[in-house]
Amino acid sequence: MSPTDNANNANNENNEDNANNATPNSINDEDTPQSENQRLQEARIHLKLQLMFVTGGEYRRGLKASLALVNTMLRHPHLFNSNSGGSRDGMAGVTAEELYDKLWYPVLLPLFEDSPIPIRFHIQRPVQRQEEQEHPMTDEDRAFASRVQVNLLLDHDHGAYNLAIIEIAKDLEHARICESRIENYAEGKAMTERLATILPEDQAVTFVVQIAGHSGKVISFRKAAQYITIATPAELNLQLPTNLVSFPVFGETLRNLLRFKERVNVTGNLILERLSSH
């Protein structure tokens, strides 16, 4: 069953507290010189020790997401250039696929593990045009090829239902700055209208997540009337750290990702209840 409003409020409060505790804020700065790598190793040990004593719930999911982020910092330091997210030079040689596979997906996956509904991540990888040499790509084509799209799907006997779209670009240079608003609104509107054929209009809520490098925003869509879909832009903001010193910013992002996951689960539960009753 979908949670009540009171349960949602209580869960959100607990999620915010857990998000703060699930990030390695207790790794302090000693006067003794240590390399970033050594400090990250300490943070990983610290998180692993906490996981040994936490059996489940949002706190454990937050710990696993934090641990995944620390592991990525250790294994793929080139993804954490200080200029990433806004500068073309800062993300030189990094693809949107790499950002998704090595950075965002490992962080998102633990949050949706053991979800009460069967949510599946389906990535649409960019395809390089074979005729590029004969017909050079335009700036718009090149920008499109440098992004990946991930659909959060609810699988059911009657098909797959798209609950959210996550779009990842390697930086702001390659994100759809002007045309993205129109395309994202069209995508969100289409998702919402499909769900409105199953759910009451006021319960049909979907999401588009735009990510550029280490930052992103969550846009929600809901039906207001038969021919009207309302979008709430930048409802939740996301920001990943670029080093251990800036890791505390992940606390707010973790809280927002947990809110996003909870709202996706609510919509998914409503769909399953409606389909099961027919």
Side-chain angles (χ1 to χ4, degrees), residues 222-238:
R222 65 180 179 85
K223 291 287 289 184
Q226 184 175 2
Y227 300 107
I228 300 175
T229 299
I230 294 179
T232 306
E235 182 176 8
L236 299 171
N237 291 310
L238 310 175

Side-chain angles (χ1 to χ4, degrees), residues 20-159:
N20 284 330
N21 296 329
T23 55
N25 294 326
S26 59
I27 304 298
N28 50 25
D29 289 330
E30 300 281 342
D31 290 333
T32 11
Q34 289 182 317
S35 69
E36 176 79 358
N37 188 275
Q38 289 173 317
R39 291 169 54 76
L40 286 168
Q41 294 283 3
E42 290 182 4
R44 180 162 64 178
I45 293 171
H46 172 77
L47 290 167
K48 284 185 174 180
L49 286 173
Q50 290 190 67
L51 277 168
M52 292 174 62
F53 300 101
V54 179
T55 57
E58 301 290 28
Y59 183 33
R60 181 175 178 82
R61 294 186 182 95
L63 287 172
K64 292 178 75 173
S66 295
L67 179 59
L69 187 52
V70 169
N71 282 334
T72 301
M73 287 178 165
L74 282 165
R75 296 168 183 165
H76 310 289
H78 65 289
L79 297 179
F80 296 90
N81 185 290
S82 60
N83 291 327
S84 64
S87 166
R88 181 174 298 172
D89 294 335
M91 296 297 282
V94 175
T95 66
E97 287 184 275
E98 192 176 14
L99 278 175
Y100 173 71
D101 291 335
K102 298 177 180 177
L103 180 58
W104 284 95
Y105 180 67
V107 169
L108 290 167
L109 184 61
L111 303 181
F112 284 88
E113 282 182 345
D114 305 318
S115 177
I117 62 174
I119 292 178
R120 173 167 54 93
F121 287 71
H122 175 70
I123 181 170
Q124 298 178 4
R125 299 186 182 273
V127 178
Q128 186 71 27
R129 285 183 7 177
Q130 295 181 353
E131 66 274 18
E132 180 181 351
Q133 291 183 349
E134 297 179 6
H135 305 283
M137 297 176 72
T138 65
D139 289 341
E140 183 178 353
D141 290 335
R142 195 171 291 108
F144 181 80
S146 65
R147 299 188 306 269
V148 296
Q149 180 173 301
V150 182
N151 295 331
L152 295 190
L153 301 176
L154 169 65
D155 288 320
H156 191 268
D157 293 340
H158 301 289

Side-chain angles (χ1 to χ4, degrees), residues 220-254:
S220 67
F221 294 82
R222 65 180 179 85
K223 291 287 289 184
Q226 184 175 2
Y227 300 107
I228 300 175
T229 299
I230 294 179
T232 306
E235 182 176 8
L236 299 171
N237 291 310
L238 310 175
Q239 179 65 52
L240 297 185
T242 56
N243 52 44
L244 194 57
V245 173
S246 62
F247 211 99
V249 304
F250 186 52
E252 178 66 22
T253 293
L254 190 52

